Amino acid sequence: MSFKFPIYLDYHSTTPVDPRVYEVMKPYFCEEFGNPASGSHVFGWKAEEVVKQARQKVAHLIGVRDPKEIIWTSGTTESINLALRGASISYREKGQHIISCVTEHKAALETLKYLETQGFKVTYLPVDSYGVVDPEDVRKNITDKTILISFMAANNEIGTLHPISEIGKIAKEKEVLFHVDAAQACGKIPMDVEKMGIDLLSASAHKVYGPKGIGILYKRERSPYVSLSPLFFGGGHEKGLRPGTLAVPLIVGMGEAFKIAGQEMEEEKVRIITLREKLYHGLKNGLEDIELNGHPQKRLPGNLNVSFSGIKASDLISHVRDVALSSGSACASGSLEPSYVLKALGFSDERARSSIRFGLGRFTTEEEIDCVIEKVVEAVQKLRHF
Ligand SMILES: *Cc1c(COP(=O)(O)O)cnc(C)c1O
């Protein structure tokens, strides 16, 4: 057997740091520890240079022409807060209407809920039974008071991809700012802020084999210039939008992780889809009454979400302790409430509660998938029998 237990199949909640990324980060803890804002000596200059290079690597993966449009943050949650709250404060005079979607991540939904308490009106568009929003619905809901549209590129539970380019086109036509939560999409599917008409984009390193605690917000500087109000105040770093000393080792890691993702995305996608299909067919062959959740094609390569009728996901998870699985998002998996994402697809509480998310990634092997099929089939049969 060429793998160790437990098997990790929860790549949507986080990923291990790629050893190649870790190697590149190492010198920036003890040796090259300078502060990029120290302009008076070589320690600072060196740090400033590597931060600049990391900015270029991140910019390259998402089609950003000017790396200066990349703002370092602590991760997608902070980036979403800066984008949505920052834009709301800046454009409040223009209008107070925002369009988003019912299946967004809590980082967006909770921020929007806060903005509602501040007088903003939010339209949460519904999705179809695959979790896809209709771009025409976006168009129909835009008014002269709409200042911002915010959608995730890829859903973290069901892997469904939204029609980001189509929404971007409508946003451009109507001259409304477009923010995209690309935490799950970056490095997995092609993202291009120019081609997709994106004005603001949030992402984290740790979903793409980089370190936790670092992320970016892309903010468009030209056609149109996006104005944001900062959430923090301090020493003027990142053009005053996100002050505080830069986390150089993490930034270097994010740059390397995004560089590798860009180089290997196409190959990795094919390999991971093959494993995912093997897993799905293995489960289907071994079991009756299982259903795929999310879109059959328009989905993240590493995502398989399946409901096992007659089974509670929580029981299944505790019966296959050797496999790290989740019933939904990491943030909500402790809760007994059925997933709001699955409910939004029109599923009953029962189907939502019987759903498991399998997250495959860079280090998933065929042997692991064979083993998971065997263990899950056996556990479901046992649970259905009793
Ligand atoms: C993980 C995730 C986030 C939050 O990212 P953090 O790194 O935890 O801040 C936001 N949106 C989506 C879609 C995610 O998958």
Side-chain angles (χ1 to χ4, degrees), residues 12 75-78 80 105 107 152 154 156 181 183-184 204 206-207:
H12 300 297
T76 305
T77 302
E78 185 191 330
I80 291 174
H105 190 274
M152 57 186 2
N156 51 298
D181 169 359
Q184 294 290 342
S204 291
H206 75 100
K207 305 272 172 83

Side-chain angles (χ1 to χ4, degrees), residues 202-224:
S202 300
S204 291
H206 75 100
K207 305 272 172 83
V208 203
Y209 314 98
K212 292 171 188 56
I214 186 76
I216 57 117
L217 175 66
Y218 156 73
K219 179 178 90 75
R220 184 176 288 282
E221 298 281 315
R222 277 189 299 142
S223 59

Side-chain angles (χ1 to χ4, degrees), residues 59-122:
H60 184 70
L61 183 72
I62 56 175
V64 169
R65 294 200 191 125
D66 182 359
K68 292 198 201 75
E69 295 174 312
I70 302 289
I71 301 160
W72 301 111
T73 67
S74 61
T76 305
T77 302
E78 185 191 330
S79 300
I80 291 174
N81 270 268
L82 180 54
L84 305 188
R85 289 164 60 194
S88 299
I89 298 166
S90 273
Y91 294 93
R92 172 160 218 140
E93 298 304 312
K94 189 178 167 233
Q96 300 189 22
H97 179 231
I98 300 169
I99 298 174
S100 190
C101 183
V102 288
T103 51
E104 292 298 300
H105 190 274
K106 286 283 178 192
L109 292 179
E110 291 297 316
T111 304
L112 293 169
K113 202 156 110 188
Y114 164 75
L115 288 171
E116 285 179 297
T117 71
Q118 301 302 301
F120 289 87
K121 193 177 168 301
V122 183

Side-chain angles (χ1 to χ4, degrees), residues 24 36 111 156 202-203 317 319 360-361 381 383:
V24 175
T111 304
N156 51 298
S202 300
I317 288 169
H319 270 74
L360 290 71
Q381 282 168 344
L383 285 165

